[in-house]
């Protein structure tokens, strides 16, 4: 835990991205998880894929136990210079045509397409009957 005062840049941490030398950034701290790779319950690929970036969200999303969190202390090598971590890019979905979920206007149009001809037909029948009797 003596290395805790060392501050690394993300570029420095990103260089440690192999199964022989694997460092992660979690919660503003840098961890050398190389010795833990083969013991990690989720497999070493999960850890290796989290190198070179801030893996805090990946770590939190899995929901690690308090035991797992306590184990992290033995792998701590320092802190990350947060200025070297790129700002989170929020995903903006591409613009799509407005999707009308309730389909109300289409429903009304379909009803009118059915009722208007029916109304015209009914009116024609009434006019025919009325003019026949006159």
């Amino acid at each position: 835990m003596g290395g805790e005062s060392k501050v690394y840049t993300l570029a420095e941490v990103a260089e440690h991205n192999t199964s022989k030398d694997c460092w992660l950034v979690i919660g503003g701290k840098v961890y050398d998880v190389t010795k833990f790779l083969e013991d990690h319950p989720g497999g070493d690929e999960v850890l290796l894929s989290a190198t070179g970036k801030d893996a805090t969200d990946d770590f939190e999303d899995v929901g690690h136990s308090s035991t797992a969190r306590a184990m992290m202390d033995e792998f701590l090598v320092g802190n990350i210079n947060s200025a070297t971590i790129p700002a989170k890019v929020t995903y903006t979905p591409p613009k799509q045509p407005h999707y009308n979920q309730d389909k109300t206007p289409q429903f009304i149009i379909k009803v009118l397409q059915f009722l208007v001809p029916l109304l015209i037909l009914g009116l024609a029948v009434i006019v025919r009957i009325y003019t026949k009797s006159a």
Side-chain angles (χ1 to χ4, degrees):
M1 210 148 92
E4 188 175 345
S5 61
K6 175 85 169 119
V7 177
Y8 296 94
T9 65
L10 186 60
E12 289 174 310
V13 175
E15 291 173 11
H16 304 269
N17 60 2
T18 68
S19 58
K20 305 256 185 274
D21 182 25
C22 182
W23 288 17
L24 298 179
V25 175
I26 300 170
K29 301 205 177 291
V30 178
Y31 299 92
D32 179 351
V33 295
T34 311
K35 294 178 192 161
F36 186 62
L37 286 175
E38 57 188 54
D39 296 327
H40 185 252
D44 62 348
E45 300 87 16
V46 176
L47 297 177
L48 288 167
S49 70
T51 61
K53 65 178 185 169
D54 183 347
T56 305
D57 289 343
D58 296 340
F59 180 82
E60 295 298 339
D61 288 348
V62 172
H64 285 88
S65 67
S66 54
T67 308
R69 291 174 189 275
M71 287 176 65
M72 292 172 67
D73 288 346
E74 68 183 271
F75 302 111
L76 184 64
V77 292
N79 293 305
I80 190 72
N81 177 345
S82 58
T84 65
I85 297 176
K88 286 202 178 9
V89 178
T90 52
Y91 174 72
T92 311
K95 295 274 184 227
Q96 293 182 344
H98 177 68
Y99 175 68
N100 187 358
Q101 279 185 308
D102 61 1
K103 303 235 187 253
T104 305
Q106 286 94 335
F107 175 73
I108 291 171
I109 289 170
K110 288 196 186 296
V111 167
L112 288 176
Q113 284 176 337
F114 176 74
L115 287 180
V116 169
L118 201 58
L119 195 63
I120 293 171
L121 182 63
L123 197 58
V125 169
I126 290 173
V127 168
R128 173 83 172 142
I129 291 172
Y130 190 71
T131 54
K132 219 179 202 184
S133 61

